[in-house]
């Protein structure tokens, strides 16, 4: 039998199995190999609940989806072309995401009676045998047995042996989609650098998986996906949390500031801590505080002392930071507050994505306490957006919100990374001592943008006292004067508004500058909306798409853009938070498309809504 | 940033520490004395004025920074300890002081308080204990005595109060001391010891709130009762107190006993000799916390009860950073690049 | 000289002096006497900053304004007719509030060199002598000396003696405005029941003040204000915090529930704690927690156990409660959260009023976490509104926000109090064990209003586990199912919306049901708007006024009302929070009138804006 | 509210406590054993199943209530202690248990933890100490040992860890005990003692997190090392441990010393006899906290280290209410009416 190689434009593969099966690792390594082949790609890791369920159960299923192609890719894909499952639970939970006629590759050893039982499937109703998968191309193999057999010479225990199953799968799927094994081998060598036996065994498993594809005479065709025509440049793959971490280090370096990262662990923000803690050689201080209140408070202390202060959390932890954010607003110190949003309310669904904290970012503090807000729109964009957040925080002496979400945080995409020397400059607004001054230092004197200065402790002549009580204009002394209070409330608000002056106009990601329908998005819906617009265009439906990075202040030209369309559609993973703001601030009767399922939109959900609105 | 204002003198005096802000405590408040003693001692500590930072929370006591012409932050309720932690960790060369009240430190701020002590940053923690919430006009605090009638406890408070120094010892404090607003000399000495100790130094100051809890500590501060009720401890000296030093404390195995030094049965050589570095005995001392109404009660100890240095958190942080820097050049491009890259032409 | 008695329709008197002068006491007792005369009235205590400044300084000035009359009164008045000052600082800080031609009564002993200095007035520029008060009727008397002289026989120390000055003033002003002394004498007797000498001395000071008016030949006229025609009934005077406290006790009694009040002291909410702590004989538990987080958490614990759980704070403390509110939303337990708003952000101006936490109440929690919100509109209305809040919390099994503010909390007015038997019933939604049930108890089963039941620990057969993770519909088991999450998010929102079904329509406080201009208010602006409407009507300008008690959900007929007017004006002590909601939710381009000065609106501020809009 | 479900038995067994929810801890996790022992002991304590409430925070350990067929609340991170305080204060007749982790209780929940101990409500506090944040996948906790490499400390942690029992003693705990997941019998005994003590009873349980901190306590739980490293204390019994009980601990004044019982120089009568009610000696015991790597280190004590009853907060609350009720009838109309009223006709 000759195996044909078929060329595809794009493919969506979903891996699923038990949390203990190393699914995320298969996904990440397959992604790396794919990135090196210069396909464009998007990924979506879909973790199980925060705690480990017993192996084999539905609750324990871990998934990873990758979408890659020879053209631009902006999402991890809606339904998948190929589903790779390690056990019965993985199949049961994920078969709904497989396209009609799609491929299933299943580890038949994961469908024994025990596994069926754990997945709540009747023993006599094995889906691999009962015909329920008839519409799909199903390929099964005893992957556990094959792996055990293949690496038995290394003398590993069963546990260690079975852990290599994922490398078998990675090898097999690499074969099927024509990916080279080099990067995976590199990875294995690094990961097991301390135990050569395990390293060799894993590499062996990888190879036998690959060969199995070649020799097993199961597959009639292999697939090939050419490199995508991407902008020239240097690329790497990156997740949102990694990109945010690098953006912080970069900003601190370019600003000449020590980075102080005060936080308390929480899903899905913790990985930024883990990443930053590895970069101590950049002088980065990561402070794992006793709670979120101490996290932000210590960060304010560091900002006061002249560090680039950054604090991060998700939902519940952001609630706890609100009081201290108010203090930072009064103190007018640089402070970046990262919120990697997850599905709420309360503990909610900690590993699932949602965009439901926009209004919290706007209004989640007592009193009139406006804060600038930016949101990243893709994993790699986390770098640029947080870099900009740092720049504005430092140059406008203000706390600022950076919004990401679980989908961006864990998703990966190719990143055309910049060179350090090309990054924007960041200029701290230091107070200087005027050698001739006879007056004492005035901590609340402002420049024409209304920005006050950063008076670092240690500098003679700048001694001053600041605090959370209302302060007198210019002097910063405590003031209970009525008129002064109103003045200060308005100054603080105007300072945030003034940021808009230094920002570029909002531009269009698709479509004309006026027309029937504008899709206005923010945050992680970017790729899906963009793809929907492209697909609609193919169908001859022309819509415009503009995507907000700046949520507060809104871009200067937003009002004009909004008024240039008959209809405005705002898709959000919440009940309509941006929609309320747009309606309330611009009196534009925007339509919402809302999905609150802990899952991102699919492309078709967007395009169907567009068609409905244009019908 | 290194320019120098000509009209500010190189060496400063207590007067240079006075700000242009009106001091806004009630007339007669014990806070005035504490401010005075801090201003008196400060110029002798060897710091430049601009290196000193006072961080406070919220409460009458927390107004303190406004009256010290150094750097200062009047923050939010209970968080001064956490803010100071970030400041000191990031700027270890600064001389950081925390001013807090019994409510600020032990009620809302209790968690940061114990974590600060555990981490042992080299900061100075002045706890103004007036056994009441002053600023909010007189509710009981976690140090108020049982049965105290206050605005929020018209029938008497029911909470068992904290013993702040014992709590601190439980949290592995490295320095705990106690003084009082009404003994300026002792207070000055204690402020100096607090300042000079390397590590988190906790100085509890009994402070009279003459408006909402007048006389809470008069037993220890009043001429008539002070000698018999306040036990001033000094390192290496036996525990002696009482009118004319007529009483002493000895240790019978692990049990402390009050002995009469006038009968001839016991002499000072029989007494417990204070050892600041003995954790166990210091713990025992912090447990001298009897109500003065109790029969045969122990006196309340003042002075440095415990002082034993151990590594400071901020030093470990910067040592680790230095170590990491030695190990690996900080090349921004290299981390942006990461492990695997490819080029599109 | 005969002294004429002139009849006035209404009067505004302002008392001012040092915090140590007992100004609040003069104010309160004068108010009591006035209430007993059946004048209608409104008061406004204007405290100094939270801490005491040295006696005699500007920072130490305490003020108290009372507005009373023979007709309906809804505000403490804009400017005052009479200003009574104990010292130079008191005059300096308050003379701007005195009407042209108004009366000044000054303690001339409070204008000696020391007092002038403390008030930052040049010794040669005594305002009592420099002609600066020429436009006013100034009456001065050496009140300190007269008091010392008058009560010297009691042998009190100077401190004690001088403390009686305020009684002299109370006597004098009682004479001037024809108020009887009985209630003040009663009060003195009660207050000093343990020291007869002090009691007698104070009563004496009261009498000599009164006689001084009669005999000093200073005043050419006295004033008389007849009783106001008020609705028949039993009346008492009451402040907002008192009314809220009584409302809570009443609700707990009528519901048959133990009241658990978990809080942490904070201005201006603490007085509710102080009041409730006195009512232990009603089984009220007041728990002063270690912080606001413990305050609300302990209260949730008590609610879980079957108590009427109530927690209260102001600005900074409300921030800290947000995470736990999210838990209460998930648990669907009754919980009343009181926010006595004060001027923010951060520590702000703790004793000053503001309405700037409306959007915090709406959106101050991560995730989609809607909570019902009510706001009281006058001191006495705090009783009705909090009673309603308790009823809804208990009957809809929901946390609810009750908004008050410093102005309501400390202000007083006559209250036509109800009889306990006439109060609405409150019916807890207890889960019961079904004797025949074979199924286990389903904690998230709902009735047709979407309300679940209260399953009290201790009842056999109701054992169940609840928590903050997303829960499966009906069973309450943990669920990470996408569709279930969206369903639950919508159910929780709909439950809040359903409350509107059980509420009366919004009605008009003034004006027609349609027309040129609607003033839409909420909270403490009520009296001022009402008075403005009355005054405008006198001038022939007809506007309508509707006032929202329910902020979430909005009344069913609000959309209709809004659409019946050409223009909508929303006065708020914030930068436009209700305005944003009305614009965003109803697409009505409402105009804002915003004052953020820590002070309530004056009547003329409202009426001027109305005239501007109608011009 | 008094009806009874027929099919629920009057007396319950450990099996009746099992819920229909799948237990979702990692295979091999120490939490399984703790669940098992609690379910085993619970039926013997004399409570009805419906009177029992388990309140937990957030963490792997805090999943516990889902697996106990009693009343239960899985609340938010660090607040179980505060929630339980409100529940117990308002419903003193309930049997309230708190389940918490080292992060939940001592990091974010530290303040409520010390205030609960101070107030001394009659609740049972099970602290699952695995010296790691399990649920968030492996960051260090306030009980992690210095130098521990975790996700958030790739170069080793720098924080000085809490000694939880010493912290509790500082906060005036009335009952502190320690046990371990891998000694079911001892754990059962300790759970029983914890349950029966009137007051806040803190039981620290060394719990193995085999995924993120495997073996943290193996020194104390493994057959080979247990005898020499774990000191099981019992009230009234001398402190003896070691292979074949070959070692003991004696007190030389206030200094504890390890003595060899095999040489004949010391016999058990020379040893420190454990007295649960002796605050000072118990404090000293909680301070046996040496790293087992240290030369001449003391063994780690297990058992009830301190147990001395004192009044419980909720009892005082209800006594005060009863007193107020006696003094004054609860007439709603009378308080609504207040001091002064008038009538308009
Ligand atoms: C979050 C928050 N909660 C409550 C308050 C109100 N508050 C201000 S100071 C204080 C307590 C003051 O007591 P203490 O710390 O003993 O200081 P003192 O005034 O006695 O010096 C309280 C409860 C606040 N400002 N912020
Ligand atoms: C307010 C808040 N902050 C952070 C988290 C994330 N979080 C959940 S559990 C946990 C720590 C768990 O450690 P521990 O209490 O020791 O429990 P274990 O999982 O080890 O049993 C953290 C940080 C959260 N859920 N809520
Ligand atoms: S209230 Fe008490 S503590 Fe506060 S300033 Fe006055 S006397 Fe001092
Ligand atoms: S992570 Fe650790 S503590 Fe959590 S369930 Fe797994 S083994 Fe147990
Ligand atoms: Mg205090
Ligand atoms: Mg743990």
């Amino acid at each position: 039998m000759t195996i044909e190689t078929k060329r595809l434009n794009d493919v969506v593969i979903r891996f699923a199995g038990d949390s203990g099966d190393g699914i995320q690792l298969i996904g990440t390594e397959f992604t790396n190999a794919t990135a090196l082949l210069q396909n464009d790609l998007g990924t979506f890791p879909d973790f199980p609940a925060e705690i480990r369920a017993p192996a084999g159960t539905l609750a324990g299923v871990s998934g990873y989806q990758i979408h890659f192609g020879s053209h631009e890719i902006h999402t991890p894909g809606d339904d998948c072309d190929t589903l790779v499952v390690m056990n019965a639970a993985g199949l049961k939970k994920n078969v709904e995401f497989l396209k009609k006629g799609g491929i299933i590759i299943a580890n038949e050893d994961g469908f024994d009676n025990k596994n069926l039982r754990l997945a709540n499937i009747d023993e006599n109703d094995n889906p691999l045998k009962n015909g329920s998968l008839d519409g799909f191309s199903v390929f099964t193999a005893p992957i556990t047995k094959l792996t055990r057999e293949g690496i038995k010479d290394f003398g590993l225990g069963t546990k260690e042996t079975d852990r290599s199953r994922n490398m078998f799968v990675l090898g097999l799927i690499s074969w099927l989609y024509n990916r080279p094994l080099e990067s995976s081998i590199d990875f294995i060598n690094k990961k097991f650098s301390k135990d050569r036996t395990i390293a060799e065994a894993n590499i062996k498993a990888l190879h036998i998986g690959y060969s199995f594809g070649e020799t097993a005479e199961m597959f009639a065709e292999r697939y090939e996906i050419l490199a995508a025509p991407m902008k020239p440049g240097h690329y790497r793959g990156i997740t949102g949390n990694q990109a945010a971490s690098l953006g912080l280090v970069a900003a601190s370096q370019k600003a000449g500031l020590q980075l102080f990262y005060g936080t308390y662990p929480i899903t899905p923000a913790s990985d930024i801590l883990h990443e930053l803690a590895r970069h101590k050689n950049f002088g980065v201080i990561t402070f794992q505080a006793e709670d979120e209140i101490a996290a932000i408070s210590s960060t304010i202390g560091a900002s006061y002392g002249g560090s680039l202060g950054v604090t991060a959390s998700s939902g519940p932890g952001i609630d706890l930071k609100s009081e201290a954010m108010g203090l930072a607003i009064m103190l007018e110190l640089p402070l970046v507050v990262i919120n990697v949003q997850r599905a709420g309310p309360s503990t909610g669904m900690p590993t699932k994505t949602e965009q439901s904290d926009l209004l919290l970012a706007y209004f989640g503090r007592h009193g009139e306490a406006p804060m600038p807000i930016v949101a990243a729109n893709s994993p790699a964009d986390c770098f640029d957006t947080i870099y900009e957040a740092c720049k504005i925080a430092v140059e406008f002496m203000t706390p600022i919100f950076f919004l990401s979400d679980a989908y961006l945080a864990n998703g990966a995409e190719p990143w055309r990374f910049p060179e350090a020397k090309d990054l924007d400059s960041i200029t701290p607004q230091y107070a200087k001592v005027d050698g001739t001054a006879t007056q004492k230092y005035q901590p609340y004197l402002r420049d024409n943008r209304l920005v006050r200065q950063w008076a670092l402790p240690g500098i003679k002549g700048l001694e001053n006292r600041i605090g959370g009580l209302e302060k007198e204009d210019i002097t910063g002394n405590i003031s209970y004067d009525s008129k002064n209070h109103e003045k200060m409330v308005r100054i603080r608000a105007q300072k945030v508004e003034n940021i808009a002056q230094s920002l570029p106009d909002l531009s269009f990601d698709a479509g004309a500058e006026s027309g029937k329908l504008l899709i206005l998005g923010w945050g992680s819906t970017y790729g899906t909306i963009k793809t929907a617009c492209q697909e609609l265009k193919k169908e001859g439906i022309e819509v415009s798409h503009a995507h907000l990075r700046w949520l507060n202040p809104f871009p200067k030209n937003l009002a004009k853009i909004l008024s240039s369309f008959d209809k405005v559609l705002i898709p959000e993973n919440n009940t309509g938070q941006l929609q309320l703001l747009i309606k309330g601030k611009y009196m534009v009767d925007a339509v919402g498309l809302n999905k609150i399922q802990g899952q991102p939109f699919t492309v078709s959900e967007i395009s169907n809504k567009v068609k409905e609105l244009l019908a | 940033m290194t320019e120098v204002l000509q009209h500010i003198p190189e060496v400063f005096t207590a007067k240079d520490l006075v700000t242009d802000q009106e001091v806004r405590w009630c007339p007669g408040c014990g806070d005035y004395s504490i401010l005075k003693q801090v201003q008196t001692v400060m110029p002798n500590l060897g710091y430049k004025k601009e290196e000193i930072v006072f961080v406070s929370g919220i409460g009458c006591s927390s107004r303190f920074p406004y009256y010290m012409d150094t750097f200062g932050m009047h923050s939010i309720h209970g968080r001064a300890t956490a803010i100071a932690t970030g400041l000191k960790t990031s700027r270890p060369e600064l001389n950081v002081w925390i001013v807090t009240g019994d409510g600020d430190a032990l009620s809302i701020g209790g968690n940061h308080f114990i974590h600060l002590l555990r981490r042992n940053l080299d900061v100075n923690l002045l706890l103004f204990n007036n056994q009441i919430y002053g600023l909010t006009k007189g509710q009981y605090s976690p140090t108020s005595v049982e049965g105290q009638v206050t605005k929020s406890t018209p029938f008497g408070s029911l909470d068992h109060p904290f013993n702040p120094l014992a709590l601190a010892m439980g949290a592995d404090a490295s320095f705990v001391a106690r003084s009082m607003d009404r003994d300026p000399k002792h207070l000055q000495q204690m402020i100096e010891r607090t300042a000079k100790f390397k590590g988190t130094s906790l100085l509890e100051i009994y402070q009279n709130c003459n408006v909402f809890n007048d006389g809470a500590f008069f037993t220890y501060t009043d001429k008539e009762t002070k000698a018999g009720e306040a036990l001033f401890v000094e390192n290496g000296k036996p525990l002696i107190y009482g009118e004319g030093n007529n009483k002493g404390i000895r240790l019978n195995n692990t049990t402390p006993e009050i002995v009469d030094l006038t009968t001839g049965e016991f002499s000072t050589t029989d007494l417990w000799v204070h050892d600041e570095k003995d954790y166990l005995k210091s713990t025992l001392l912090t447990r001298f916390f009897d109500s003065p109404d109790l029969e045969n009660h122990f006196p309340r100890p003042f002075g440095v009860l415990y002082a034993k240095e151990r590594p400071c958190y901020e030093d470990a942080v910067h040592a680790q950073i230095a170590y990491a820097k030695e190990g690996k050049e900080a090349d921004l491009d290299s981390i942006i690049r990461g492990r695997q890259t490819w080029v599109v032409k």
Side-chain angles (χ1 to χ4, degrees), chain A residues 404-463:
Chain A
S404 168
D405 60 29
Y407 175 64
L408 297 179
N410 299 322
E413 67 177 355
W415 177 39
R416 192 167 146 271
F417 56 87
E419 278 190 70
K421 68 173 170 45
D422 299 330
L423 294 171
D424 262 12
S425 66
I426 299 180
T427 316
Q429 312 291 299
Y430 291 123
K432 297 219 175 71
V433 177
D434 174 356
T436 65
T438 48
Q439 262 210 322
K440 68 177 192 118
Y441 171 65
Q442 304 285 31
Y444 281 77
L445 198 66
R446 296 163 192 281
D447 66 15
N448 59 358
R449 300 165 309 156
L450 299 179
V451 175
R452 79 175 199 97
Q453 297 173 327
W454 209 353
L456 304 193
I459 302 178
K460 196 167 213 162
L462 295 184
E463 291 90 335

Side-chain angles (χ1 to χ4, degrees), chain A residues 535-594:
Chain A
E535 301 207 342
L536 286 162
K537 196 167 176 181
K538 284 186 208 149
E539 298 182 42
I541 302 171
E542 183 85 57
V543 287
S544 300
H545 171 207
H547 214 80
L548 291 167
R549 167 179 290 184
W550 278 91
L551 280 317
N552 193 27
F554 285 123
K556 296 187 296 295
N557 63 330
L558 180 58
K560 187 164 159 287
I561 290 183
L562 290 169
S563 64
S564 308
F565 290 86
D566 298 347
K567 285 186 182 169
V568 176
L569 171 66
I570 303 183
E572 297 178 86
N573 291 127
N574 62 41
T575 62
Q577 301 197 0
L578 175 63
Q579 187 194 5
L580 178 76
L581 292 170
I582 294 295
K583 289 171 76 176
K585 298 207 166 178
Y586 298 99
M587 294 297 290
V588 167
D589 202 1
V591 178
L593 173 63
N594 307 97

Side-chain angles (χ1 to χ4, degrees), chain B residues 61 101-103 128-134 141 207:
Chain B
S61 35
D102 42 325
F128 294 23
N129 185 359
N130 55 13
Q131 299 187 342
I132 198 84
Y133 289 177
S141 91
Q207 172 245 325

